[in-house]
Amino acid sequence: MADYSFLTTWLLAAPREQVWEAIYDQASWPQWWRGVEEAEEVRPGDGDGVGAVARMAWKSLLPYRVRFEVTTTRVEPFHLMEGTAVGELAGVGRWRLYEQDGATAVLYEWNVTTTRAWMNLLAPVARPVFEWNHDWVMKRGGEGIARLLACNLLANG
């Protein structure tokens, strides 16, 4: 399997609580995040959402989708949300939010392996394309959340 480690940063001119609510509500992502085709809650979690399972399907401009399920493993409201993915991507995703002077920095770490045979076979030559694909989707997320919150996107990378 091919391993990938990504770090995405969004800087939004919005309070952390608003940004948190948008990210925490994974089921609404397809409404504002281009590239997220499905984000369906399969099982609810506890009061903070720990143990929740969401089924995800993502697609960018490239002609393939990736499907996986994410189980929320850790939640510190307004600060951190972490989950473990299984399926065509397997690994850990972690959202961290920081606020200063009315702006919220969102850091997303995504450490995954691909489990589809064709992706692993092509990884030695297609890695830059797969990385571009991830970056494209994450940039659409930054743009989408800024539109949703009607705020300025100060950084998106």
Side-chain angles (χ1 to χ4, degrees):
M1 293 191 285
D3 296 320
Y4 296 86
S5 292
F6 299 102
L7 178 62
T8 300
T9 304
W10 301 335
L11 183 59
L12 299 151
R16 177 172 41 202
E17 291 78 11
Q18 290 178 359
V19 176
W20 171 265
E21 292 300 331
I23 292 170
Y24 183 80
D25 183 12
Q26 296 176 62
S28 73
W29 290 0
Q31 297 167 22
W32 56 265
W33 191 333
R34 184 174 174 201
V36 181
E37 292 188 333
E38 180 182 350
E40 175 188 355
E41 184 177 78
V42 175
R43 184 178 71 225
D46 67 12
D48 285 333
V50 173
V53 177
R55 183 174 300 124
M56 303 276 188
W58 297 70
K59 184 179 183 307
S60 79
L61 297 177
L62 300 178
Y64 70 90
R65 284 174 184 75
V66 290
R67 300 177 192 280
F68 51 91
E69 288 188 353
V70 176
T71 301
T72 302
T73 56
R74 186 173 163 200
V75 175
E76 295 174 16
F78 307 109
H79 298 280
L80 179 132
M81 184 169 62
E82 183 176 283
T84 302
V86 295
E88 294 175 341
L89 297 177
V92 175
R94 182 175 304 111
W95 294 97
R96 295 179 191 270
L97 282 72
Y98 305 91
E99 182 180 7
Q100 184 173 345
D101 300 327
T104 300
V106 178
L107 279 71
Y108 183 63
E109 301 167 64
W110 185 226
N111 298 299
V112 292
T113 58
T114 53
T115 64
R116 294 174 80 176
W118 73 266
M119 291 179 89
N120 291 328
L121 183 65
L122 292 177
V125 294
R127 177 177 291 276
V129 174
F130 295 154
E131 291 171 346
W132 173 89
N133 192 51
H134 168 83
D135 292 343
W136 185 91
V137 169
M138 295 307 293
K139 285 187 183 298
R140 301 304 76 80
E143 294 163 357
I145 197 169
R147 273 192 308 277
L148 176 73
L149 300 177
C151 71
N152 287 327
L153 179 61
L154 305 171
N156 189 12

